[in-house]
Amino acid sequence: MTIRYGYGTNGLTDLRLDDALGLLADLGYDGVGLTLDHMHLDPMAPELAARTREVAARLTELGLGVTVETGARYVLDPRRKHGPTLLDPDPEGRAARTGLLVTAVQVAADLGAHAVHCFSGITPDGTDPDTAWKRLVESITPVLDAAQAAGVPLAIEPEPGHLLADIAGFHHLRTLLGDPEPLGLTLDIGHCQCLEPASPADCVRDAGPWLRHVQIEDMRRGVHEHLPFGDGEIDFPPVLAALDATGYQGLTVVELPRHSHAGPDMARTSLDFLRSMGAPA
């Protein structure tokens, strides 16, 4: 198989970024899903461009690819998880999220990343669906413009409980926007198991033309909990075979954000598992 595996830094938050990158290279990962956060390339701190150049040099030294992820829980608001979002009732809140994503696009371009990940956010209380979709379209358009200019795809993730919760929601947004070239899909394999009507392998096949980023972990039907491999219900060999058949060239990033306390061990055992599942019969 030609799948290129990465590991998300949101599952290595107890490590310094330089140490996390060194660990992943030593373990044999092909790359890293870099979540911009206060402990790892803080997008809100001074001298971001200089710090980004240092990380880019380190990635090159280690031979690691990278995708930029934007799921930091409290990077914009220390009291609201993932707030504000692209759907926030406050225009200034929406603008803050848009600004962060535009910054992420520039960081991704400077790192040579293959994509920037994002999500819609949860529909605020009292907001009707039409208004929520209108806000999403308006808020994400400047990010798509930046992505087009930088030559970096923007890969939006269907997230359980969010306005854009599934693959059908991705296609709805794509239609509302007029199918812009920079807009792609982040497919989380666990989310497919959690709520999509099709099997995870069928989801991969259906999503193939729009895949720009892939996240992977185990999960159970109807329960949005990221689990170590083998603790959920996913049959991985068909999923990995389907992913390999799409010709997707980006990273497939292990996402275990609640397992940072055991991050180094999780990184090691996750790669061992994935390699064993993708081995020829």
Side-chain angles (χ1 to χ4, degrees), residues 171-190:
H171 288 302
H172 181 60
L173 177 64
R174 192 169 60 85
T175 300
L176 290 175
L177 287 164
D179 199 15
E181 192 276 333
L183 181 66
L185 175 67
T186 292
L187 188 69
D188 187 304
I189 302 302

Side-chain angles (χ1 to χ4, degrees), residues 85-271:
T85 73
L86 297 171
L87 311 179
D88 203 274
D90 179 5
E92 292 186 2
R94 297 197 298 274
R97 177 61 62 173
T98 297
L100 176 65
L101 294 178
V102 169
T103 296
V105 168
Q106 184 58 60
V107 169
D110 292 344
L111 293 177
H114 74 81
V116 174
H117 149 277
C118 69
F119 49 75
S120 68
I122 297 169
T123 303
D125 291 341
T127 302
D128 64 87
D130 287 345
T131 298
W133 284 107
K134 182 174 182 289
R135 287 177 185 167
L136 180 56
V137 166
E138 292 175 349
S139 299
I140 206 169
T141 294
V143 188
L144 289 166
D145 291 343
Q148 179 75 52
V152 179
L154 183 69
I156 194 163
E157 178 186 6
E159 184 78 24
H162 284 211
L163 173 68
L164 200 161
D166 52 23
I167 296 172
F170 165 72
H171 288 302
H172 181 60
L173 177 64
R174 192 169 60 85
T175 300
L176 290 175
L177 287 164
D179 199 15
E181 192 276 333
L183 181 66
L185 175 67
T186 292
L187 188 69
D188 187 304
I189 302 302
H191 295 173
C192 297
Q193 175 70 21
C194 179
L195 55 70
E196 294 285 354
S199 71
D202 284 340
C203 287
V204 170
R205 283 186 280 268
D206 293 343
W210 299 278
L211 281 183
R212 300 297 180 267
H213 183 41
V214 176
Q215 296 171 341
I216 193 166
E217 68 286 315
D218 217 338
M219 204 168 286
R220 301 187 183 100
R221 185 71 178 170
V223 183
H224 184 204
E225 181 182 2
H226 291 235
L227 299 172
F229 297 108
D231 287 1
E233 300 170 341
I234 298 175
D235 182 14
F236 281 98
V239 173
L240 298 178
L243 182 59
D244 192 49
T246 67
Y248 167 70
Q249 297 296 305
L251 292 171
T252 296
V253 173
V254 178
E255 189 180 25
L256 292 172
R258 297 186 180 181
H259 292 77
S260 280
H261 63 283
D265 189 54
M266 284 288 104
R268 177 183 58 80
T269 57
S270 295
L271 188 58

Side-chain angles (χ1 to χ4, degrees), residues 64-87:
L64 293 174
V66 60
T67 188
V68 170
E69 304 202 6
T70 60
R73 293 184 178 94
Y74 297 100
V75 70
L76 286 176
D77 187 330
R79 301 189 181 191
R80 286 192 298 161
K81 181 182 177 182
H82 297 315
T85 73
L86 297 171
L87 311 179

